[in-house]
Amino acid sequence: MSHRSGAYPQVRLRRNRANAWSREMLAEHRLHASDLILPIFIQEGTNTETPILSMPGVSRITLDLLVKKAKSAKQLGIPALALFPVIDMKWKTPMGDEALQPDNLVCRAIKELKNAVPDIGIICDVALDPYTSHGQDGVAENGVILNDATIDILCKQAVVMAKAGCDIVAPSDMMDGRVGAIRAALDSESLIDTSILAYSAKYASHHYGPFRDAVDSKKLLGAAYKRTYQMDPANSAEALREIALDIAEGADMVMVKPGLSYLDILYRAASNFNVPVLVYHVSGEYAMVKAAGVQGWIDGDQVMLEHLLAFKRAGARAILTYAAMDVAEFLAK
Ligand code: PBG
């Protein structure tokens, strides 16, 4: 046996962990405010904040409050916001027509933000679920979500938002071929600088419940589901295929969603592809941590940090999380 065997008792990994300064110095991954993207639910009206019961600490807010929130987010070092509109029931139609109105809620929000807080990035979902009377992301015929007819509308929706000033359009609908079609539609309108963040590996998850409460699509969806277009949680090789296709179609960034239950997918995506891979820490994941935290069953703030750090460790370049403000405030201390 050699003098230094490369094992205990010479080797003691606890030496590196012994002090706060050494742990700090040797940390392989770190969470920073610049990793965080804040999703925000917006609604019509003025000076009104409507709490979402299934998402403690999250509210739907009106555009005046949105501007204030964007300023605080920017100050905390959060680089971008993701906007989700709550559309009045009277504007919801089977085809989601409101999505194409150049003065709809999302477009007005984009314009106000670009005026008031020009240096924060704006990401907008391309999907019809906030606008359809049936709560699906696309248009339906006899209960079947039509792929190509939906794409035509999504292309128009993306152009409308890009013209309003949206920096990144994020197709979250999971139709086949939509990324390439949206890229072509944007380019044909000379919107060559608008980026595409593809929700590439988006699973048909039960973690989206609180989000559907927030945008009022849950009751519309009823017993219907999105399993014919969102991915089967049983699959992982298929996620890599989805991501490869979206990159080939021109995605600037791709996303895995949800996060925690799909860390293996995130890790494989980040290891396999040289495009930025983002992750969505979705509403149900946020709600679970909050709920257990409120009960005092876990330290909710610390568990939240641990989840977000896990995303960094798995290879996420940025994280969409409803906890972005709280975490950025914590990190600033
Ligand atoms: C809709 C959309 C959903 C989310 C983001 N965009 C819900 C869904 O697909 O039903 C979920 C986000 C979350 O749960 O936080 N296209």
Side-chain angles (χ1 to χ4, degrees), residues 188-206:
S188 75
E189 298 276 347
S190 303
L191 296 160
I192 55 167
D193 293 323
T194 307
S195 296
I196 298 178
L197 161 60
Y199 283 72
S200 299
K202 176 174 179 177
Y203 285 87
S205 171
H206 286 91

Side-chain angles (χ1 to χ4, degrees), residues 39 41 55 84 125-130 135-137 170-174 199 202-212 215 217 221 226 229-230 255 257-258 280-286 320 322:
F41 298 105
M55 301 180 74
F84 295 99
D125 250 38
V126 181
L128 298 179
D129 56 313
Q136 295 283 2
D137 291 23
S172 69
D173 55 289
M174 290 299 280
Y199 283 72
K202 176 174 179 177
Y203 285 87
S205 171
H206 286 91
H207 291 86
Y208 308 148
F211 176 98
R212 293 178 190 171
V215 302
S217 68
L221 208 51
K226 302 190 179 184
Y229 47 103
Q230 298 180 349
M255 183 147 69
K257 173 187 176 183
Y280 202 141
H281 180 234
V282 302
S283 58
E285 302 180 87
Y286 172 88
L320 282 93
Y322 301 97

Side-chain angles (χ1 to χ4, degrees), residues 138-156:
V139 295
E141 197 175 77
N142 305 322
V144 176
I145 307 306
L146 302 176
N147 194 87
D148 299 4
T150 297
I151 289 183
D152 288 342
I153 303 175
L154 297 179
C155 286
K156 292 181 186 143

